[in-house]
Amino acid sequence: MVRGRISRLSVRDVRFPTSLGGHGADAMHTDPDYSAAYVVIETDAEDGIKGCGITFTLGKGTEVDWSRKGRGAPGDSGRPKRGVGLVGQAGGKACLEVTCGHEILQKGQIGKKEREKQMLAQGYPAYTTSCAWLGYSDDTLKQLCAQALKDGWTRFKVKVGADLQDDMRRCQIIRDMIGPEKTLMMDANQRWDVPEAVEWMSKLAKFKPLWIEEPTSPDDILGHATISKALVPLGIGIATGEQCHNRVIFKQLLQAKALQFLQIDSCRLGSVNENLSVLLMAKKFEIPVCPHAGGVGLCELVQHLIIFDYISVSASLENRVCEYVDHLHEHFKYPVMIQRASYMPPKDPGYSTEMKEESVKKHQYPDGEVWKKLLPAQEN
Ligand SMILES: C[C@H](O)[C@@H](O)[C@@H](O)[C@H](O)C(=O)O
Ligand SMILES: [Mg+2]
């Protein structure tokens, strides 16, 4: 049903100076400024319906530069995190998801009402990455971890991969604080090559991580398979996906038995449809989906996908958990709601992408209030 015509389209470069506090820093991206290309499509429809879209980048990535694709050097934080979410669809024929999709969705009808009720009452389980960015001191790590425990978090992710001694010390701190039972995940953000990943993780195995995330280049599907073969016997799964930009890559990772936890990213996979294909494939291969989130708005978006996955596709919470990062939610009109370390289902219509106009104005790059103050200071 046509309700109106597009009357206006705006694209804005919105950046948050997160690097100033070391937020978001990992072994490859040492000073990210969480940013987004923010697109609003307005219509002349009577009800004023409009569409908002965000593409997450690490700052300079919002200046799309096609000549700088591929794997950057450590510290090359400004690059787009590989590809642009809005340019999402891979060409070619749909994969196996089309044929098996109907069957999976039909099976998903069984018990759907109960799962919906359960989600509304309990929410979808989450883990926190907010305590242990590489940019944080040990004191900050301890303080944030103590607070997270108080707030009821039971699953924690720690950044690793730059320096083994640092990793040993930080993992010891966090394991001591959370105790042996709570869940610890590790994330190397692509830092290692294949043998290095196996060696390094053999040393960190004593901290009992559930998974090592992005142990090597996200393009190295067979490398992931090798790492997975070596680490699964140590009780460590491989998690990856935040840099995978289409369903074909996920299909190959699944076929090669290269991962034990599949991490969709709502922006990277550019479009809800592409995400849905991957959810269906993961179900077919019986691999749990544990979405990547954080950045600007990724939590807001991906909560819709993962709750749908539970209610209509996977019907399971076993080994499943969605990432949560506690930054920048205040800039959204419909921010996520976390209760008892779980995502409570969003009730507002839409995909929770709309940002507050006031925040966009302030953080627009380079002429927003925030950057006008910061840029001269940085130039000196
Ligand atoms: C640069 C970013 O903060 C990443 O470190 C972050 O997305 C991370 O890989 C994650 O899994 O949360
Ligand atoms: Mg990660």
Side-chain angles (χ1 to χ4, degrees):
M1 192 178 62
V2 182
R3 291 160 73 188
R5 288 165 167 234
I6 292 175
S7 56
R8 189 167 174 266
L9 181 141
S10 64
V11 185
R12 292 153 91 187
D13 180 349
V14 189
R15 305 190 193 186
F16 299 89
T18 41
S19 61
L20 295 178
H23 315 306
D26 63 49
M28 286 290 273
H29 316 100
T30 49
D31 58 352
D33 282 331
Y34 282 166
S35 307
Y38 180 57
V39 180
V40 179
I41 297 176
E42 291 174 34
T43 68
D44 60 9
E46 268 173 36
D47 59 3
I49 193 166
K50 63 180 177 188
C52 308
I54 54 174
T55 297
F56 169 53
T57 82
L58 299 185
K60 289 188 205 100
T62 315
E63 296 151 22
V64 180
D65 177 356
W66 298 104
S67 65
R68 294 181 67 215
K69 281 191 278 181
R71 199 170 174 218
D76 184 13
S77 266
R79 72 206 169 95
K81 288 187 77 190
R82 293 183 79 247
V84 177
L86 286 173
V87 191
Q89 296 288 355
K93 209 173 172 292
C95 336
L96 65 155
E97 80 274 11
V98 174
T99 34
C100 73
H102 296 301
E103 208 183 303
I104 291 175
L105 290 171
Q106 234 157 25
K107 276 198 190 138
Q109 293 294 318
I110 306 164
K112 192 170 153 183
K113 278 270 155 287
E114 287 70 38
R115 289 194 293 280
E116 210 172 296
K117 267 196 211 143
Q118 182 194 356
M119 282 294 106
L120 287 167
Q122 295 167 16
Y124 195 93
Y127 72 86
T128 176
T129 307
S130 296
C131 310
W133 297 113
L134 271 193
Y136 288 172
S137 67
D138 290 358
D139 277 351
T140 306
L141 165 66
K142 284 181 203 163
Q143 201 186 316
L144 292 173
C145 193
Q147 186 58 46
L149 284 163
K150 260 196 212 149
D151 294 342
W153 291 94
T154 58
R155 303 171 177 104
F156 301 78
K157 189 160 86 186
V158 56
K159 293 283 168 181
V160 296
D163 181 282
L164 184 59
Q165 289 320 311
D166 274 0
D167 290 352
M168 301 288 275
R169 192 188 68 255
R170 294 168 76 256
C171 290
Q172 189 69 59
I173 293 175
I174 196 163
R175 201 24 117 193
D176 285 348
M177 288 191 75
I178 68 177
E181 300 305 327
K182 296 200 170 63
T183 307
L184 184 62
M185 293 92 154
M186 298 180 184
D187 187 353
N189 288 89
Q190 326 165 27
R191 183 64 187 253
W192 305 314
D193 61 28
V194 174
E196 199 181 10
V198 174
E199 209 181 303
W200 202 299
M201 282 314 296
S202 307
K203 306 232 166 76
L204 297 183
K206 66 173 186 175
F207 302 107
K208 300 263 172 283
L210 173 68
W211 76 50
I212 176 63
E213 179 172 323
E214 291 202 307
T216 194
S217 163
D219 299 333
D220 192 355
I221 291 157
L222 298 181
H224 277 81
T226 305
I227 299 170
S228 163
K229 231 186 196 167
L231 295 184
V232 166
L234 305 183
I236 307 171
I238 305 305
T240 195
E242 69 176 79
Q243 307 275 349
C244 295
H245 52 284
N246 68 43
R247 60 187 183 266
V248 179
I249 306 286
F250 277 111
K251 183 185 74 162
Q252 295 198 7
L253 284 162
L254 288 163
Q255 287 176 326
K257 296 190 175 32
L259 79 180
Q260 285 66 48
F261 301 92
L262 185 151
Q263 300 178 300
I264 53 166
D265 175 297
S266 50
C267 278
R268 172 77 50 188
L269 272 171
S271 90
V272 171
N273 290 357
E274 197 77 354
N275 272 287
L276 296 185
S277 315
V278 177
L279 294 181
L280 293 170
M281 280 194 293
K283 169 73 178 172
K284 167 104 179 139
F285 282 85
E286 291 177 15
I287 291 291
V289 177
C290 300
H292 172 243
V296 193
L298 299 182
C299 301
E300 273 69 20
L301 271 62
V302 89
Q303 61 176 339
H304 292 267
L305 301 172
I306 198 59
I307 294 174
F308 164 78
D309 182 56
Y310 176 60
I311 295 175
S312 298
V313 181
S314 77
S316 164
L317 290 180
E318 206 186 323
N319 266 331
R320 288 160 198 273
V321 64
C322 186
E323 181 168 19
Y324 176 69
V325 179
D326 198 9
H327 306 300
L328 309 175
H329 302 291
E330 67 278 17
H331 302 296
F332 285 81
K333 201 160 167 191
Y334 308 107
V336 285
M337 252 230 303
I338 297 287
Q339 277 174 20
R340 298 172 303 271
S342 299
Y343 278 90
M344 299 315 286
K347 293 192 179 145
D348 301 291
Y351 199 25
S352 312
T353 40
E354 189 168 356
M355 293 178 88
K356 291 182 186 160
E357 179 53 27
E358 195 190 314
S359 293
V360 174
K361 261 202 192 132
K362 260 196 188 163
H363 294 91
Q364 207 163 303
Y365 188 88
D367 49 356
E369 198 183 295
V370 166
W371 290 105
K372 267 197 180 148
K373 272 192 211 141
L374 278 173
L375 287 175
Q378 281 175 2
E379 272 156 23
N380 288 330

